Amino acid sequence: MPTPEPPQKAEKTDVPERVGAVGSDPWEQMPEDALNRPNLQGADDGAPGIGADTGGAARPDGASPAGDADEASGEDPGRAPSESWTDFLPSPLFVLLLGLTGFAGWMSWQAVELEWAADGTSVTPLVPPLLILLGWIASLAVHEFAHALAAYLAGDRSLRGSAYLRLNPFAYRQAFAGLVLPSVYLCLGAFGLTGPPTYVDWDRIPSRGRRVLVALAGPLASLLLAAALAVAVSVLVPPGNDTTNWAISAMALLCFSNLTAALVNLLPVPGLDGFEVLAAWTRGTWVTTARVNALFGSVAVFAVLWFPGLNDALVNLVYSLFELVLPNPVFSGIAFYGELLLQFWV
């Protein structure tokens, strides 16, 4: 009698096990390349699928979605996309300012206004006052640039790409305090005084020593400009000589203005650079209050120095420094002639 064959077992089919079944690991059931595929299923129903942006959540392989985006775009995640080496280039307006200053200097050197009035009529020169004003605006740009550069190197990176680091005084955040008022000071008082550096975020500068360096950077830049102009005038007018050349007289007055700007700004008065030196070593709400009202302190210092007695004392002090340091004793007279050219309405 034939023996019955044992029942055959059902052959195992290739039907995949259902993902999500109890006791199964969904990540193990997925193909290896599915972890890196873009999510297509959740595009319509809004459900976050594999590779979807889940608010920065880490993937199972430890990679960051944000990091993949930065790697794909070629950008450094630790670098602001707006930063560029052009943030430190001088502004085209500053280059134009220097060009206009040079052209006004050439016209003053040639005294072209006297040639225009060749018929013997008297003439009030207007190009030399323009030369002095343009030169003073360029000096202001250098003064504020020194503050901004020192602040940037000390930790205040908010100034990168700003008008202060690009030497553009016509685009200052506080154009009235940084450009208009110092120009008025020079035209009315014939001495240099800059506005308060209110654009510096002192809280971003960590140490007191760095704050002191930032505060002194402006006066140091003005002092270097005064020294350069003094050397230029001394070379053009050697000892034992005198001149009434308009361009040289304008340079002498700009030297005087930058020197007074460096000296007066050392006063520990709110609105001046010397106050920030003092504020670096003190604490209290009065410092914040003083900075808020810094503009009034600058105006008050100018008003005091504008008085005839104090103004004469300041002028005599600076002229005494000229006679002590410079080899030509007539430098003070040349600077005074530049003052007469500036204040042509007096």
Side-chain angles (χ1 to χ4, degrees):
M1 182 176 181
T3 308
E5 296 181 0
Q8 297 181 355
K9 296 182 181 180
E11 296 183 359
K12 186 177 181 180
T13 62
D14 295 334
V15 178
E17 184 180 355
R18 184 172 61 90
V19 176
V22 178
S24 62
D25 188 353
W27 296 108
E28 294 179 356
Q29 303 298 332
M30 288 291 182
E32 294 183 359
D33 61 342
L35 298 178
N36 297 323
R37 294 178 187 171
N39 178 31
L40 300 178
Q41 182 180 359
D44 296 329
D45 56 10
I50 305 301
D53 185 6
T54 58
R59 297 187 321 209
D61 58 357
S64 172
D68 289 346
D70 293 334
E71 184 178 356
S73 61
E75 295 181 357
D76 184 2
R79 180 174 177 265
S82 60
E83 292 183 358
S84 172
W85 61 273
T86 58
D87 294 338
F88 297 97
L89 286 181
S91 169
L93 287 178
F94 181 73
V95 178
L96 177 62
L97 175 64
L98 293 181
L100 292 176
T101 304
F103 182 67
W106 174 82
M107 294 182 67
S108 298
W109 183 278
Q110 299 293 333
V112 294
E113 291 176 283
L114 293 180
E115 298 178 1
W116 295 343
D119 54 354
T121 59
S122 60
V123 60
T124 300
L126 299 179
V127 175
L130 178 62
L131 168 62
I132 296 171
L133 182 59
L134 293 176
W136 176 239
I137 294 176
S139 301
L140 291 174
V142 174
H143 180 101
E144 304 302 340
F145 169 79
H147 279 307
L149 181 60
Y152 177 82
L153 296 176
D156 185 8
R157 301 306 174 90
S158 63
L159 295 173
R160 177 163 185 159
S162 65
Y164 299 95
L165 275 179
R166 298 202 63 193
L167 296 162
N168 185 6
F170 305 103
Y172 283 170
R173 301 173 191 171
Q174 298 85 12
F176 181 76
L179 177 62
V180 177
L181 266 185
S183 300
V184 173
Y185 293 160
L186 179 67
C187 293
L188 295 181
F191 62 89
L193 179 61
T194 61
T198 54
Y199 51 88
V200 176
D201 190 352
W202 298 99
D203 294 333
R204 297 191 179 189
I205 302 175
S207 64
R208 296 175 178 176
R210 293 183 181 183
R211 295 182 184 182
V212 171
L213 292 177
V214 172
L216 295 179
L220 179 60
S222 297
L223 184 61
L224 292 177
L225 284 177
L229 290 169
V231 171
V233 173
S234 299
V235 171
L236 294 174
V237 186
N241 295 274
D242 198 356
T243 184
T244 56
N245 183 277
W246 292 349
I248 299 177
S249 301
M251 293 172 60
L253 180 61
L254 287 174
C255 173
F256 172 83
S257 302
N258 279 281
L259 183 57
T260 53
L263 295 177
V264 175
N265 266 296
L266 295 179
L267 296 175
V269 179
L272 305 183
D273 298 329
F275 171 77
E276 297 300 337
V277 176
L278 177 64
W281 301 97
T282 57
R283 295 180 179 272
T285 56
W286 69 274
V287 175
T288 304
T289 304
R291 285 173 177 167
V292 172
N293 300 280
L295 186 61
F296 298 99
S298 176
V299 175
V301 170
F302 170 76
V304 170
L305 294 178
W306 199 22
F307 287 155
L310 292 176
N311 184 268
D312 294 339
L314 175 65
V315 172
N316 292 333
L317 173 63
V318 177
Y319 283 171
S320 299
L321 291 176
F322 284 155
E323 296 176 358
L324 181 63
V325 176
L326 299 180
N328 196 339
V330 300
F331 189 96
S332 301
I334 301 174
F336 179 72
Y337 184 62
E339 178 182 347
L340 296 179
L341 291 174
L342 174 65
Q343 298 179 334
F344 59 88
W345 61 87
V346 176

